[in-house]
Amino acid sequence: MSFNFIETNINDHIGLIELNRPDRLNSLNRKMVSEIMDALLAFECEKEVRVIVITGRGRAFSAGADIEEMMEDDPISLELLNQFSDWDRIATVKKPIIGAVKGFVFGGGFELALACDLLIAATGTEFSFPEVGLGVMPGAGGTQRLTKLVGKTKALEWLWTGERILAATALDHGIINKIVASELLMEETTRLAQKLAKQPPISLRLIKDSVNKAVDYSLHEGMQYERKNFYLLFGTEDQKEGMNAFMEKRKPNYQGK
């Protein structure tokens, strides 16, 4: 794949997407967002890829949307552009997505991070939704995903004030999974990605599917959905391999079938 604003590669079952506008702190213009989504969907269809990692080149993950690009927009032009249809494609990715973030994770960059399944942050990383200071608000899922993670009152505080959230605070509120030294960010992220890549791929997909449903479904509906996915896994070769390996006291070799 060839892109203008991101770099991609595949190594050891891990598909890497690296935001590549370091001179602009990886600010997200519309073309860049489209490229990110195209890469995600390409990795989703690539059998060799079992886990996807998103990170940013330079000293920031992303400082947010490219404000210069949207200054002259009006409601009708935005409606016709329908730019958030690109963002909506993230929800169709069933493979695990790990975000490796550092520096500034602001605005649209924060929304992209929140769309990841797991987040590892470098020491000193700061998160923020500063849109209110520009007279606007998040539009790619920020108000929704943040609220589901931290609850109404804390989400409103951070969205209304635009205050920066330190990595330690983000960890305390369940926004991120782990804080590591900046120089170890990709090493630790790769280690986690490799661990997941050795797990049965279909199990990972259906676990992600079930957990996502738990966010919106009632407990009863969620349990019924979970049960359906549980039954489905007994039709996979990986289920047979996993249980046979357990009985034979050996490591399983999962093929994603």
Side-chain angles (χ1 to χ4, degrees):
M1 295 180 287
S2 179
F3 299 106
N4 294 316
F5 298 112
I6 65 173
E7 295 288 339
T8 65
N9 69 66
I10 300 172
N11 184 40
D12 198 19
H13 298 298
I14 300 168
L16 176 67
I17 299 172
E18 187 175 33
L19 312 187
N20 189 25
R21 296 185 79 196
D23 56 320
R24 301 292 297 274
L25 298 177
N26 294 321
S27 62
L28 301 168
N29 60 29
R30 288 162 183 155
K31 177 62 176 174
M32 187 180 191
V33 170
S34 179
E35 290 183 354
I36 294 167
M37 304 312 157
D38 286 345
L40 281 170
L41 294 186
F43 284 156
E44 173 77 350
C45 297
E46 174 55 61
K47 290 183 179 180
E48 185 181 347
V49 173
R50 295 187 178 185
V51 181
I52 301 168
V53 171
I54 304 178
T55 192
R57 182 168 294 182
R59 62 190 182 93
F61 177 69
S62 174
D66 190 330
I67 303 302
E68 184 178 351
E69 183 181 57
M70 62 178 69
M71 285 183 63
E72 302 303 321
D73 286 333
D74 59 63
I76 299 303
S77 67
L78 289 172
E79 169 64 24
L80 295 176
L81 182 64
N82 193 23
Q83 70 185 52
F84 295 121
S85 62
D86 273 332
W87 288 88
D88 292 341
R89 292 193 285 165
I90 299 178
T92 68
V93 178
K94 297 185 177 181
K95 293 178 180 178
I97 304 173
I98 304 174
V101 299
K102 59 186 174 182
F104 303 132
V105 187
F106 293 171
F110 196 3
E111 290 179 300
L112 179 60
L114 289 174
C116 297
D117 301 309
L118 303 176
L119 281 176
I120 298 180
T123 302
T125 302
E126 295 181 332
F127 304 82
S128 176
F129 280 123
E131 285 88 342
V132 67
L134 301 173
V136 291
M137 61 179 281
T143 64
Q144 305 305 298
R145 289 192 171 96
L146 184 65
T147 302
K148 289 179 185 298
L149 279 174
V150 306
K152 172 188 172 182
T153 54
K154 206 63 188 177
L156 279 174
E157 176 188 336
W158 285 330
L159 289 159
W160 277 345
T161 65
E163 290 179 353
R164 297 186 182 188
I165 307 165
L166 301 181
T169 304
L171 181 64
D172 288 342
H173 284 83
I175 296 172
I176 62 177
N177 296 86
K178 190 176 184 180
I179 302 172
V180 301
S182 182
E183 62 271 19
L184 298 177
L185 177 61
M186 290 312 298
E187 179 181 334
E188 290 294 324
T189 302
T190 301
R191 182 178 290 114
L192 175 58
Q194 288 173 338
K195 184 175 183 178
L196 294 183
K198 294 177 182 177
Q199 302 285 56
I202 302 175
S203 291
L204 295 183
R205 292 168 70 94
L206 295 189
I207 288 169
K208 175 175 176 174
D209 183 39
S210 298
V211 169
N212 284 340
K213 289 296 188 293
V215 175
D216 298 312
Y217 280 15
S218 69
L219 178 61
H220 175 73
E221 291 173 315
M223 290 180 68
Q224 298 306 308
Y225 197 88
E226 173 192 80
R227 204 153 297 153
K228 172 186 72 69
N229 283 344
F230 174 82
Y231 294 151
L232 281 174
L233 288 172
F234 277 77
T236 66
E237 293 180 17
D238 282 348
Q239 175 265 328
K240 305 297 186 295
E241 167 64 10
M243 292 191 174
N244 285 332
F246 177 82
M247 296 301 295
E248 296 165 8
K249 296 181 172 54
R250 61 175 174 82
K251 290 185 178 180
N253 181 23
Y254 297 119
Q255 300 298 315
K257 298 179 180 180

